[in-house]
């Protein structure tokens, strides 16, 4: 299974971006999918996650309202819509997938994901 992110870039504060994550190879093995980010000097943090079945989504408290995770299972693409971007959203954004079940309460635990993309840089200027 390979995950490839795209859609990052440099934007001004207040702008929007839609990140995409295309999955290939054994994509039917994905049970849960998520977005994570890591800013320079910071630890990786969970942003949003979703079950492949669409049964549930989970957002980090700080991400609620501006971030929306969605998926197109027919195309094996995971999306992250980010609105009202802020300079503190500057980070490398990674998508991840898990081949095993993850409890909903743990969907933002990166350690439970076993497939990762290479990341896409998002830079927000004030």
């Amino acid at each position: 299974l390979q995950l490839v992110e795209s859609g990052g870039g440099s934007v001004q504060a207040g702008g929007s971006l839609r990140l995409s994550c295309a999955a290939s190879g054994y994509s039917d093995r994905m049970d849960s999918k998520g977005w994570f980010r890591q800013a320079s000097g910071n630890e990786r943090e969970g942003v949003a996650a979703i079950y492949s079945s669409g049964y549930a989504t989970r957002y980090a408290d700080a991400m609620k309202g501006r971030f929306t995770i969605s998926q197109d299972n027919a195309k094996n693409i995971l999306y992250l819509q980010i609105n009202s971007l802020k300079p503190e959203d500057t980070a490398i954004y990674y998508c991840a997938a898990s081949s095993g079940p993850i409890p909903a309460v743990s969907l933002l635990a990166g350690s439970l994901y076993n497939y990762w993309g290479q990341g896409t840089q998002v830079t927000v200027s004030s």
Side-chain angles (χ1 to χ4, degrees), residues 84-108:
S84 302
L85 278 156
K86 304 176 181 180
E88 50 265 42
D89 294 322
T90 295
I92 300 175
Y93 285 72
Y94 299 91
C95 70
S98 169
S99 56
I102 298 176
V105 69
S106 300
L107 276 173
L108 297 179

Side-chain angles (χ1 to χ4, degrees), residues 7-27:
S10 297
V11 297
Q12 290 190 329
S16 298
L17 281 175
R18 187 175 79 159
L19 307 183
S20 299
C21 173
S24 61
Y26 302 106
S27 56

Side-chain angles (χ1 to χ4, degrees), residues 34-38 43-49 58-64 67 80 93-94 106-110 113 116:
W35 286 98
F36 299 80
R37 71 183 187 183
Q38 186 167 20
E43 294 185 353
R44 183 182 63 199
E45 61 177 341
V47 175
R58 187 170 180 88
Y59 294 89
D61 289 342
M63 316 301 175
K64 293 178 180 178
F67 293 74
L80 182 69
Y93 285 72
Y94 299 91
S106 300
L107 276 173
L108 297 179
Y113 290 80
W116 291 84

Side-chain angles (χ1 to χ4, degrees), residues 39-54:
S40 179
N42 290 359
E43 294 185 353
R44 183 182 63 199
E45 61 177 341
V47 175
I50 187 170
Y51 286 122
S52 293
S53 65

